């Protein structure tokens, strides 16, 4: 019987272990934490957005880098396969806005419990508080792993590295997999935090707006006049800058450029209205509120926190009566609402990043098996690889799909 050692008990590691065990291997998971699925537990604010219910073909468009590499993985174990698997293993799921899939219970612990029960039933041996120190090889073939505690050697025919990246280091993601990969001769591409909030230059503005969540807005991130990213969705102001789904996804597309220079964020607060329509709407409001002061006259159009900021940025006296506001001044109000600009100065760190961008170089991995092209019997799965996607459950689907493929291949299926 083939012996497989899985390093890491997260999403990719658990799925890889299950697939290997179900295909006849004797499987052991080595997890440095006190429990399995520590990062799963905190995903989706503790609800676990476990996949996305879009058409399987659409999964690829959500992947930011190296989407073609995932062809065998995604079609070998699809998002619908994952949803079905959860249902079959006692964790019913539901689909919410944006096709995001969650457990019906809204508890990530139910996802982890379903996986843990399945591992137990498949005969997988789980070793908690056991940190791998090295992957061992002989003559280009994996021979096992060495544990940190006591330097114990664990012989294995296959080793699956599913250690995650560098994001949320409190969950144990401290870059071990990159170290193992480099020690085995693999390249690791440049790493950076991804799906992470932005810091802004205008911290006073961010402070004024802290906690304000905006829906149905359009954001553009620009380098000079060139648009690098554009998307419709939700955003959130924080004490240091901006966050929310649309900006977390943006961080994955502009991370490289962000390291070189500040960028401009332009928010269209009313994308459903043209400038002419917005002007007509403001004029209508002003007619009805003609005796009010300008500082109180945008109440029907904007959230309370945003009004004083737009008033100040428009350069119009807040005490001016709205019936005295000129057409040119109205144009300035429209411009501020249609293009509310902030200067993005950087990204927050790994402690706040949902995932890591970059990882083990994919030209050294067989996409049909997840096996290393350099060391026989060595497999990689999940976030440790140079793969990342936008928010919405896609990154966990990468973990499930690559983990499943690695486990099957490791067992010789």
């Amino acid at each position: 019987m083939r012996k497989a050692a899985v390093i890491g008990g997260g999403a990719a590691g658990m799925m890889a272990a299950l697939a290997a065990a179900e295909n006849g291997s004797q499987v052991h998971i080595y997890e440095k934490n006190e429990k399995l699925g520590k990062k799963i537990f905190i995903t989706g604010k503790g609800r676990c957005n476990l996949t996305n219910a879009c058409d399987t073909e659409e999964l690829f468009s959500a992947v930011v880098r190296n989407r073609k590499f995932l062809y065998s993985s995604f079609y070998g174990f699809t998002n619908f396969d994952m949803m079905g698997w959860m249902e079959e293993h006692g964790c019913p799921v539901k689909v919410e806005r944006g096709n995001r899939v969650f457990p019906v219970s809204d508890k990530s612990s139910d996802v982890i419990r379903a996986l843990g029960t399945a591992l137990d039933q498949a005969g997988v041996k789980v070793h908690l508080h056991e940190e791998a120190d090295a992957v061992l090889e002989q003559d280009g073939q994996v021979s096992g792993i060495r544990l940190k505690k006591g330097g114990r050697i664990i012989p294995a025919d296959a080793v699956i590295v599913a250690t995650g990246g560098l994001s949320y280091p409190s969950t144990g993601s401290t870059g071990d997999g990159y170290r193992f990969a480099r020690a085995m001769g693999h390249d690791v591409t440049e790493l950076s935090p991804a799906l992470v909030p932005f810091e802004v230059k205008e911290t006073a503005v961010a402070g004024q707006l802290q906690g304000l969540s905006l829906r149905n807005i359009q954001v553009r991130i620009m380098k000079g006049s060139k648009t690098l990213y554009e998307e419709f969705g939700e955003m959130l102001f924080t004490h240091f800058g901006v966050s929310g789904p649309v900006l977390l996804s943006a961080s994955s597309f502009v991370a490289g450029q962000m390291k070189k220079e500040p960028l401009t964020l332009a928010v269209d607060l009313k994308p459903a209205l043209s400038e002419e329509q917005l002007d007509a709407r403001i004029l209508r409001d002003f007619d009805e509120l003609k005796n009010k002061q300008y500082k109180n006259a945008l109440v029907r159009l904007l959230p309370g926190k945003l009004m004083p900021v737009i008033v100040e940025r428009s350069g119009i006296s807040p005490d001016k009566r709205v019936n005295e506001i000129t057409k040119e001044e109205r144009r300035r109000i429209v411009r501020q609402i249609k293009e509310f600009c902030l200067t993005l100065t950087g990204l927050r760190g790994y402690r706040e990043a949902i995932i890591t961008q970059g990882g083990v170089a994919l030209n050294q991995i067989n996409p049909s098996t997840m096996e290393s092209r350099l060391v026989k019997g060595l497999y990689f799965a999940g976030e440790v690889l140079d793969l990342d996607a936008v928010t919405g459950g896609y990154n966990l689907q990468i973990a499930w799909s690559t983990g499943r493929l690695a486990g099957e291949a490791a067992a010789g299926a």
Side-chain angles (χ1 to χ4, degrees), residues 59-67 192-196 198 219-223 226-231 245-260 263 344 347 355 357-358 388-391 394-395:
L59 288 176
F60 295 95
S61 59
V63 178
V64 177
R65 304 190 336 162
N66 301 316
R67 58 186 64 163
S192 64
L195 301 186
V196 66
F198 288 89
V219 303
R220 267 186 306 142
I221 296 180
M222 297 176 293
K223 175 192 170 185
K226 183 185 177 187
T227 298
L228 303 178
Y229 176 87
E230 189 167 11
E231 192 54 82
V246 73
L247 286 158
L248 292 176
S249 290
S251 69
S252 291
F253 289 92
V254 302
Q257 197 62 44
M258 198 80 260
K259 288 176 183 175
K260 299 175 191 170
L263 301 172
L344 303 175
L347 298 173
I355 58 161
Q357 189 170 77
D388 64 288
V390 298
T391 56
Y394 303 104
N395 288 289

Side-chain angles (χ1 to χ4, degrees), residues 1-3 24-26 157:
M1 183 184 280
R2 280 175 67 80
K3 289 183 179 177
S25 280
Q26 185 186 97
D157 303 299

